[in-house]
Amino acid sequence: MALMRWLPWRWVVRRAARSQGFMDPLAVMARLRRFGQPSEVAEPIELLRAGMIFHARGLINTRVIQHNLDWIWPYWIEQQFDPHSPAFLPRAFSITHVNLTHRNWTAVGRPDCAALPIIDPRGLVTPLIDGGSVDAWVRGADGEWLIPSRLPAVDQRLDRGDDDLSVTTTAETGGLQLVSRARVVAAGDGHRLECRYTATAAAGGRLALALRPYNPEGISFIQRLDQAPVESPAAAWQWRVFDEQHVMQPARFDFDTRPERIDTSDYESGDVAQRLAGEPADGGDGGVTPGRLDCDTGLLTAAAQFDLAPGESRSVTLSVPLPEPADPVAPASWAEALAPAAQLDVPDADYQALYDTALRTLLLHSVEDIYPGPYTYKRFWFRDAAFIIHGLFNAGLLERGRRSLARFPGRQTRATGYFHSQEGEWDSNGQALWIIARHHALTGEWPPGADRDEWLRVIRRGVQWVARKRLPTDSDRPEAGLLPAGFSAEHLGPNDYYYWDDQWAHGGLRAVAERLRADGEPALADWVDDEAADLAASLERAYAADGERLGRPVMPASPRRRMDAGAIGSIAAGFPLQTLAADDARLLGTVGYLLDAHRVNGGFFQEMIHSGVNAYLTLHLAQVLLRAGDADGLALMDAVARLASPTGQWPEAIHPRTDGGCMGDGQHVWAAAEWVSMMRNAFVREEGDGLVLGAGVQPRWLAARTGFGFGPTPTAFGSVRVRFEPTPEGHRVDWRIDGPGPAWIRLAVPGQPPIDRAGDCRSVEMPEAPA
């Protein structure tokens, strides 16, 4: 690096670019950086790496897809390249072709399996992350085709059995029907993806199970296919698939019955789908013989075909062994994993199904670590982890959250105390400290993974990082005393002095100070409190300057920004941190602005980066409103419920016209965690030294005149259950608290007069409010 400072590399780069007629790349980068505030990290290397991989695939998609539109493609491509579809995107000057309209998928798995196969909205199955996929088609004897990715609609649902989680997709057209069911099953000491396909053709025909060199992100190369019969109970025929990801350990596809015919094709010969209507290329048995096929381009396709008798159903099962985690977890059934979870019981089928599904989503993505998604986001961030662990805790799934917290000390740099998941993100320390403190508040203990003294050192180092990182306070700059400009929440805009970072730092400091004092460390708690108070004073000065500059009580994204969609980050002080009062004018002014200017299809539309309706940010707004007693939060809850996919999932951002995912992972675990937290806070919310009950209860639940409730959920005052039961005069609300209890309790049901009681009260009669 020292040598690079001496070499005239900037001059060389500029000279080389200009000599070939290109713009000066260094000048372009300098211009780009002027749109953000100066920062020591322009963009996290981790984001650059992920972006390069994402757009490298997009470049390959550009090269492959538009020149081969006679292929059968996944649903997102069929829609995005169809000029008659509302999802159509012109290609013209687009350098990369990526999925921007239907980023939806659903993971299947088990609570002790780290692998997460995904299924797209038309039943396309991607067994291994970033690998190829399996599709299924039916061809009738009369030449009619059933191709799910080309149908305007199919029926897809997530089935939650007693010890099962499966996605079932049913497609029909003419006299053809195809039902596919994908799930993960335990198999000996490991797990297998099991896909069962049942096809019917009124006049007879063939079921084709097709190997595809793509997935919901785009092209995924398949270089080689080996096929052979297998004399074992597990398979009658086997494919071994070699691709760039699994060269040393090829993916294995086991059929439970021998196909009547197999066709294969390399890229030069076109899609194998074009061969399915004709006779076998060799004129013999359809190529159902052991063999090997290679494709230098990496676009190998194959189709195993099974004869269908007229009017009779036939089922074929395909299974794929799944990789196991390096650190195996104890085997667990769904019943065992869900046993400690808080139960939601409401007369609302949509809310009930979304909650039950969200619990399973949280368990699937917390086997070996906390992941915010099964594919695009299958990696760790402190930001997502804090919210996801918070959701696990609210659901009573403490052990899953504890497992991740045990890794936090190893993710902290000992020299600086920085909780590192990505460089240049200044929110992580506050988030780590806050969720560590939350664990202590709920359990009275520091997390596992280190002894008490080590956790105190971890906390001390984390607080010191915040104290050292802050800008000097002796300045008249609006950001004085705040954290430096950074790239923390990417959806807030370019590098800036984000209040999001400072609010998290302040909230984390306040939370750990309280827990340190409860744990018998008053001197350490006083020091942390002093740091928190000093940061709070800097925030208050900046907020006051914003009020004068903008002429109203609001909190923009940073002290150097006008009001825009990035202000959504500044409501963290209201939820989940509660560092501002519920009725704070600046907090509610910000929420009011966001809903007036950025509400689309009933939810919050994030204009920056995500450019879609965002489920979890909409729920953050709902939490702030309901905390303030504003019933508009109920409408936001309903909007998020409507935005869920047929399998009960939310992508990170939702296209306002197609309702498909347009950014991020197609199954966003942070969103699922927020639904769990929303349902919990609808019944039980901690507020200072008291409890607020029923603040998110929907009027229609009361009108149903049946019992409903939630719990048990851990709180700082003990485990709480809440139950509403109808009476002739209204409802009786009962609650059970297994613990010391709060100082006070308020029943704050929307549309009903609030009822205040002492902390030892356990029941109240709520008369029907006048119409």
Side-chain angles (χ1 to χ4, degrees):
M1 294 301 294
L3 180 61
M4 287 298 292
R5 287 197 295 268
W6 287 99
L7 289 174
W9 65 272
R10 291 178 179 270
W11 179 85
V12 172
V13 169
R14 288 192 168 105
R15 181 67 179 266
R18 289 169 176 166
S19 68
Q20 298 298 317
F22 289 100
M23 296 175 65
D24 178 355
L26 299 179
V28 172
M29 291 300 296
R31 286 283 181 184
L32 288 174
R33 288 177 178 172
R34 291 178 189 175
F35 290 98
Q37 299 298 330
S39 174
E40 63 187 79
V41 178
E43 264 193 6
I45 189 66
E46 295 85 354
L47 276 185
L48 291 173
R49 185 185 304 118
M52 287 295 292
I53 294 171
F54 182 83
H55 284 291
R57 188 196 301 276
L59 283 170
I60 293 167
N61 293 345
T62 303
R63 188 67 172 174
V64 175
I65 297 169
Q66 62 184 331
H67 308 297
N68 294 282
L69 290 176
D70 57 343
W71 279 43
I72 294 175
W73 291 106
Y75 179 62
W76 74 268
I77 294 176
E78 296 285 354
Q79 292 294 305
Q80 207 162 291
F81 285 70
D82 179 359
H84 303 291
S85 169
F88 172 73
L89 292 181
R91 296 179 285 282
F93 296 109
S94 297
I95 298 175
T96 66
H97 295 170
V98 295
N99 185 353
L100 296 175
T101 58
H102 292 89
R103 299 185 64 81
N104 301 83
W105 44 82
T106 305
V108 291
R110 293 184 63 81
D112 56 354
C113 177
L116 293 167
I118 58 173
I119 298 92
D120 92 337
R122 291 298 184 268
L124 180 79
V125 178
T126 305
L128 303 175
I129 190 166
D130 209 25
S133 303
V134 176
D135 205 357
W137 316 314
V138 179
R139 184 178 187 276
D142 57 359
E144 180 78 11
W145 279 92
L146 189 163
I147 299 171
S149 66
R150 292 180 176 174
L151 292 179
V154 301
D155 178 75
Q156 189 173 71
R157 68 180 189 272
L158 184 73
D159 297 313
R160 305 178 304 273
D162 292 339
D163 195 29
D164 192 23
L165 185 73
S166 60
V167 173
T168 300
T169 308
T170 302
E172 295 184 82
T173 186
L176 309 177
Q177 184 187 67
L178 174 65
V179 180
S180 62
R181 180 172 182 251
R183 62 176 184 158
V184 172
V185 298
D189 294 332
H191 295 87
R192 299 171 68 91
L193 168 67
E194 181 184 279
C195 302
R196 185 169 180 81
Y197 298 92
T198 302
T200 308
R206 287 175 178 155
L207 163 66
L209 300 188
L211 180 65
R212 312 304 289 163
Y214 51 64
N215 57 44
E217 290 276 28
I219 299 301
S220 183
F221 294 118
I222 296 176
Q223 312 286 146
R224 170 182 155 192
L225 172 67
D226 291 345
Q227 57 183 1
V230 178
E231 300 300 330
S232 74
W237 192 262
Q238 184 181 98
W239 281 345
R240 296 176 73 234
V241 177
F242 297 77
D243 61 29
E244 292 185 331
Q245 299 292 321
H246 310 98
V247 174
M248 300 303 295
Q249 294 183 324
R252 205 178 85 209
F253 296 76
D254 297 329
F255 298 92
D256 69 342
T257 187
R258 184 186 178 97
E260 273 76 49
R261 168 177 170 176
I262 293 179
D263 284 285
T264 58
S265 183
D266 59 14
Y267 177 67
E268 186 175 349
S269 302
D271 189 359
V272 70
Q274 298 164 7
R275 297 188 175 191
L276 301 190
E279 293 303 316
D282 60 3
D285 65 356
V288 188
T289 56
R292 166 177 170 174
L293 180 70
D294 293 277
C295 178
D296 292 338
T297 309
L299 292 173
L300 185 152
T301 55
Q305 298 174 70
F306 304 86
D307 290 342
L308 302 175
E312 295 183 11
S313 295
R314 181 175 181 180
S315 295
V316 176
T317 300
L318 178 70
S319 63
V320 181
L322 299 174
E324 294 302 311
D327 183 17
V329 299
S333 67
W334 277 111
E336 291 168 330
L338 288 165
Q343 298 299 306
L344 175 71
D345 174 21
V346 292
D348 191 322
D350 289 342
Y351 273 48
Q352 187 71 57
L354 290 172
Y355 179 80
D356 293 339
T357 297
L359 290 179
R360 288 158 174 82
T361 294
L362 294 183
L363 287 169
L364 282 180
H365 294 81
S366 58
V367 174
E368 56 184 354
D369 212 334
I370 297 292
Y371 298 130
Y375 183 18
T376 309
Y377 288 164
K378 197 180 180 192
R379 53 191 185 273
F380 178 88
W381 283 279
F382 277 107
R383 179 185 312 125
D384 297 75
F387 282 101
I388 294 168
I389 296 172
H390 186 224
L392 286 165
F393 286 171
N394 286 335
L397 298 170
L398 291 167
E399 188 54 40
R400 284 302 177 107
R402 287 161 61 91
R403 190 183 304 168
S404 179
L405 288 177
R407 299 170 184 250
F408 277 28
R411 289 186 159 118
Q412 185 187 43
T413 60
R414 289 186 174 271
T416 66
Y418 178 44
F419 285 98
H420 176 265
S421 54
Q422 291 192 113
E423 288 290 348
E425 297 201 312
W426 311 141
D427 54 349
S428 60
N429 271 51
Q431 288 152 355
L433 293 170
W434 179 78
I435 197 63
I436 290 167
R438 186 72 183 142
H439 177 274
H440 193 278
L442 298 177
T443 67
E445 302 173 350
W446 300 112
D451 60 25
R452 178 179 180 276
D453 289 342
E454 177 58 22
W455 275 112
L456 295 181
R457 285 191 289 269
V458 166
I459 290 169
R460 185 181 290 107
R461 288 195 296 262
V463 174
Q464 287 171 338
W465 180 90
V466 174
R468 288 193 298 261
K469 200 71 180 176
R470 290 174 57 201
L471 299 172
T473 57
D474 56 347
S475 165
D476 58 359
R477 295 169 63 89
E479 65 272 11
L482 304 183
L483 289 167
F487 198 78
S488 294
E490 303 89 57
H491 57 271
L492 302 183
N495 287 357
D496 214 330
Y497 305 97
Y498 286 118
Y499 287 137
W500 165 272
D501 296 339
D502 303 289
Q503 290 174 350
W504 273 107
H506 178 230
L509 296 180
R510 273 197 6 168
V512 294
E514 179 183 345
R515 301 323 306 165
L516 289 168
R517 189 164 285 109
D519 199 49
E521 293 289 336
L524 184 55
D526 287 345
W527 169 66
V528 179
D529 261 336
D530 289 343
E531 291 293 338
D534 195 61
L535 177 53
S538 295
L539 277 167
E540 287 296 329
R541 284 194 298 272
Y543 293 156
D546 287 333
E548 293 183 10
R549 178 171 60 91
L550 300 173
R552 50 181 168 159
V554 288
M555 297 180 294
S558 89
R560 290 184 173 271
R561 287 267 285 277
R562 300 182 299 277
M563 290 300 289
D564 55 36
I568 188 69
S570 301
I571 70 169
F575 176 83
L577 297 171
Q578 296 186 345
T579 51
L580 289 179
D583 60 354
D584 186 282
R586 298 160 301 186
L587 177 62
L588 297 181
T590 303
V591 171
Y593 161 79
L594 291 167
L595 292 177
D596 288 344
H598 303 285
R599 197 171 190 166
V600 174
N601 297 344
F604 170 70
F605 182 83
Q606 174 54 281
E607 293 182 336
M608 300 176 191
I609 311 299
H610 292 201
S611 63
V613 183
N614 188 291
Y616 63 89
L617 295 177
T618 300
L619 291 176
H620 289 188
L621 290 165
Q623 294 273 16
V624 174
L625 288 176
L626 293 175
R627 183 174 172 236
D630 187 334
D632 194 22
L634 301 177
L636 295 176
M637 291 164 61
D638 282 342
V640 172
R642 289 193 302 270
L643 290 168
S645 75
T647 58
Q649 312 297 339
W650 294 275
E652 185 171 21
I654 298 166
H655 194 294
R657 293 190 179 275
T658 70
D659 286 337
C662 58
M663 196 276 176
D665 211 296
Q667 180 178 3
H668 200 234
V669 185
W670 183 351
E674 292 302 344
W675 187 257
V676 168
S677 295
M678 187 77 255
M679 294 303 97
R680 187 263 198 181
N681 283 4
F683 286 88
V684 183
R685 187 184 79 242
E686 294 151 271
E687 192 72 49
D689 59 356
L691 283 178
V692 179
L693 307 180
V697 165
Q698 292 279 2
R700 61 179 177 272
W701 301 349
L702 299 170
R705 305 298 297 167
T706 186
F708 60 93
F710 184 84
T713 179
T715 74
F717 312 110
S719 179
V720 180
R721 296 174 185 262
V722 179
R723 185 79 188 169
F724 286 71
E725 293 290 348
T727 67
E729 294 77 24
H731 282 79
R732 187 184 72 254
V733 186
D734 301 307
W735 55 93
R736 175 181 173 182
I737 303 176
D738 296 328
W744 54 269
I745 291 173
R746 166 170 284 198
L747 184 65
V749 176
Q752 307 286 332
I755 301 174
D756 293 316
R757 290 291 185 268
D760 58 356
C761 180
R762 294 295 180 268
S763 182
V764 70
E765 295 289 335
M766 186 181 73
E768 208 70 61

